[in-house]
Amino acid sequence: MGVSGSGKTTLLTLLAGLDLPTKGKIYWGKEHLNELNENERAKLRLGSAGFIFQNFELLPSYTALENVLLPLELTRTENALEIAKQCLKEVGLGKRLSHYPKQLSGGEQQRVAIARAFATQPKVFFADEPTASLDQNTSKLVIEFLTEYHRQYKPTMIFVTHDEELSEICHRRIYLRGGKIARGL
Ligand SMILES: Nc1ncnc2c1ncn2[C@@H]1O[C@H](COP(=O)(O)OP(=O)(O)OP(=O)(O)O)[C@@H](O)[C@H]1O
Ligand SMILES: [Mg+2]
C-alpha cells in the first residue's frame, strides 16, 4: 500500500523479475534474478508465478478464452481448454469466452487478467490493484475467489491495493513511501 508514485508497481515488477534493480540483489529461492537473462527469467516465471498488471496487458487479437489458454499451452498443461473455461467461469465470465478485450468492459478485462494469472496454479502470485476496475459486487466475487483459491492451493499472494476489503484478507501489510518501505516489514 502507499500513495500514487510511491513505488508499488516498481516493487512488484522487481519481485516478479519483470525488471531488474539498478542496485541490490533479488533471489527467488536460490535463483539470483540479476544473473538470469530475460528468457531465463521468463521461463522461471512461466512455471511458478502469475502476474496481473495494473493495465491488464491482455493480447488484443486474442479472445478472452485464448488469452487464458496461452499460459496453459505454453506450459503444455493437460485439459487446457476445460481449465481455461473453468477459470473464466469462476470470475463470472462464463458467457464472455469469445469476446475480444476491446469488446469487454474494464472490469471484465481485469477479470480475464485474473483468470489468466491463476490458470497455471502459480506458487507465487503478483497482482497490481486487482480490484481497481471492479464495482463492489464484482470486487466481492473476486475477493471470494482469491480467498478460496488461497485456502485450496496456499500460494504466496502479493497484492498492491487501495481496497480495504482486499487488504483485510492479507496476513501482512507493507506500506511504501517515496520508494522506501515505511512500515510493515
Ligand atoms: N521505468 C521507469 N523509469 C524511471 N522512473 C520510473 C519508471 N517507472 C516508474 N518510474 C517512477 O517511479 C515512481 C514510482 O512509480 P510506480 O509506478 O512504482 O508508482 P505506484 O506506487 O505504482 O503508483 P500508482 O498508485 O499511481 O500506480 C514514479 O515517480 C514513477 O514516475
Ligand atoms: Mg502502480
Side-chain angles (χ1 to χ4, degrees), residues 11-149:
L11 179 61
L12 215 59
T13 50
L14 288 169
L15 290 176
L18 291 164
D19 203 354
L20 286 177
T22 43
K23 275 196 272 182
K25 294 174 181 172
I26 301 177
Y27 289 91
W28 271 25
K30 287 185 184 139
E31 298 280 2
H32 183 190
L33 292 189
N34 307 48
E35 284 171 358
L36 303 179
N37 66 31
E38 203 159 318
N39 273 344
E40 291 167 329
R41 281 184 277 127
K43 215 177 206 175
L44 194 65
R45 255 197 320 275
L46 184 63
S48 51
F51 201 99
I52 300 175
F53 295 89
Q54 195 163 13
N55 54 0
F56 321 137
E57 303 275 2
L58 298 175
L59 295 174
S61 57
Y62 281 37
T63 63
L65 183 61
E66 287 163 352
N67 266 282
V68 180
L69 263 175
L70 189 66
L72 292 164
E73 285 176 347
L74 288 172
T75 49
R76 299 177 204 281
T77 308
E78 269 180 52
N79 305 322
L81 190 61
E82 287 74 36
I83 295 171
K85 282 183 183 166
Q86 183 59 28
C87 287
L88 282 162
K89 202 170 147 198
E90 284 181 31
V91 295
L93 291 178
K95 294 202 163 71
R96 289 285 184 275
L97 303 183
S98 53
H99 284 57
Y100 289 91
K102 67 170 188 295
Q103 300 172 322
L104 297 168
S105 72
E108 287 171 340
Q109 290 178 42
Q110 184 151 42
R111 283 180 284 152
V112 175
I114 292 172
R116 178 178 64 180
F118 274 102
T120 52
Q121 299 188 357
K123 293 199 270 297
V124 189
F125 177 81
F126 302 95
D128 203 347
E129 306 198 24
T131 57
S133 303
L134 307 179
D135 63 74
Q136 217 173 2
N137 281 342
T138 317
S139 172
K140 263 199 167 61
L141 181 127
V142 164
I143 293 172
E144 274 166 25
F145 169 74
L146 295 172
T147 309
E148 179 54 26
Y149 186 91

Side-chain angles (χ1 to χ4, degrees), residues 8-10 54 128-129 160:
K8 304 181 299 294
T9 296
T10 305
Q54 195 163 13
D128 203 347
E129 306 198 24
V160 166

